[in-house]
Amino acid sequence: MSFENIIVTAENGIGQITINRPAKLNALNVATIQELHDAFENLESNSDVRVIIITGEGEKAFVAGADISEFASFTIQEGAQLAAQGQELLFNFIENLRKPVIAAVNGFALGGGLELAMACHFRIASDNAKMGLPEVSLGVIPGYGGTQRLPQLIGKGRAMEMIMTAGMVSAEEGFRSGLVNHVVPQSELLDFTRGIASKIMRNSPFAIGRAIKCVNANFKDGVNGFETEIRNFGKCFGTEDFKEGTTAFLEKRKAEFSRK
Ligand code: COA
């Protein structure tokens, strides 16, 4: 599969997607959103890949937002459609993937860029990262899930302030508020992120996929997360992973999980 706006690699169990429009600070145009969807779909079905990392090319930006030049003259209907398609194709799609997706935030993550990072299962930032939802400064609001995921991650009051001021927070501030899990020097960002991916890869892919589903259930309308947990807990008992994990423990050896 060849792409114009992204670079995709798969090595040692880790799929990496790098958004590659550095001259535009990796801004998300519609073509890039489609390519990202295709790349995630592809890595999800690649049984050699267990964890996916997404980052931006260059040292300046993860993603500086949705591509403003594309939507500046949109109508009401076109605006709503842009948000709906983007949410379905990419942001909700990532959140609901069964494989863990980690955002390695290597610089500006603004607007759609922060929304992309927030759709991932968790975030690691380089020390130069700056994050914000500046949409109201453009006369619009976040449209790729930002008004929902930011309060989920940092609480309503802090999210309200960030959205209303259109301001940026530093990596350290993001760490303190729970927006990012770790802050590391930029030169170490990818190695550090791969290290966490390696820890994840020691565990049961089936169980991880179900755990993602259950955690997400807490944030879905009309879904009872506790019931989702009970159902999926039960499903684990029918898997080879469960057999291998418990047998390995009892035999005092490391589990070898092979299935997707
Ligand atoms: N959409 C389209 N193009 C963008 C972009 C975006 N969201 N963010 C940056 N770019 C482009 C700039 O237009 C510029 O292109 P040009 O060289 O062809 O003029 C290029 O990327 C470099 O950006 P520039 O603004 O010159 O860099 P800077 O270091 O001076 O400022 C930012 C960096 C991130 C502060 C600034 O680019 C910015 O505010 N971007 C928009 C952020 C935003 O509002 N995002 C939310 C969109 S909903």
Side-chain angles (χ1 to χ4, degrees), residues 213-245:
K213 189 177 174 146
C214 293
V215 173
N216 283 339
N218 184 37
F219 301 99
K220 290 200 197 303
D221 275 349
V223 176
N224 183 316
F226 290 97
E227 283 171 11
T228 305
E229 184 179 283
I230 290 166
R231 246 190 343 271
N232 285 282
F233 181 78
K235 280 185 181 153
C236 292
F237 285 70
T239 66
E240 286 302 318
D241 277 11
F242 178 71
K243 223 178 275 173
E244 167 61 11

Side-chain angles (χ1 to χ4, degrees), residues 12-67:
N12 301 325
I14 300 175
Q16 184 175 315
I17 302 176
T18 307
I19 301 165
N20 188 29
R21 300 181 75 214
K24 295 290 173 192
L25 301 187
N26 301 322
L28 288 181
N29 56 5
V30 169
T32 305
I33 288 181
Q34 181 65 53
E35 288 189 5
L36 285 169
H37 169 87
D38 294 344
F40 275 109
E41 194 169 53
N42 203 255
L43 292 174
E44 170 84 334
S45 61
N46 179 345
S47 55
D48 293 334
V49 170
R50 290 201 170 177
V51 178
I52 302 169
I53 295 171
I54 181 164
T55 193
E57 181 61 31
E59 292 180 354
K60 197 167 169 185
F62 174 70
V63 170
D67 193 321

Side-chain angles (χ1 to χ4, degrees), residues 136-215:
V136 297
S137 71
L138 298 166
V140 67
I141 62 170
Y144 289 145
T147 63
Q148 305 306 295
R149 293 193 181 97
L150 188 61
Q152 287 170 4
L153 285 166
I154 69 171
K156 185 175 171 184
R158 287 179 201 253
M160 286 284 197
E161 183 179 335
M162 266 182 78
I163 291 169
M164 288 179 202
T165 59
M168 295 184 206
V169 298
S170 66
E172 271 307 322
E173 288 171 286
F175 173 71
R176 283 198 297 273
S177 65
L179 188 51
V180 303
N181 290 11
H182 305 274
V183 179
V184 296
Q186 185 166 50
S187 58
E188 294 166 24
L189 179 65
L190 283 177
D191 279 349
F192 183 88
T193 309
R194 288 190 194 113
I196 294 190
S198 302
K199 285 187 190 169
I200 293 172
M201 287 191 289
R202 290 183 208 140
N203 303 314
S204 155
F206 182 89
I208 287 171
R210 296 302 161 145
I212 291 170
K213 189 177 174 146
C214 293
V215 173

Side-chain angles (χ1 to χ4, degrees), residues 63-101:
V63 170
D67 193 321
I68 299 168
S69 64
E70 266 190 354
F71 64 73
S73 60
F74 272 12
T75 62
I76 293 173
Q77 287 77 14
E78 288 169 329
Q81 198 186 14
L82 181 76
Q85 278 179 351
Q87 288 194 16
E88 185 185 337
L89 209 54
L90 187 58
F91 299 81
N92 297 350
F93 188 76
I94 292 174
E95 184 171 73
N96 293 313
L97 281 184
R98 282 172 300 156
K99 289 184 185 172
V101 183

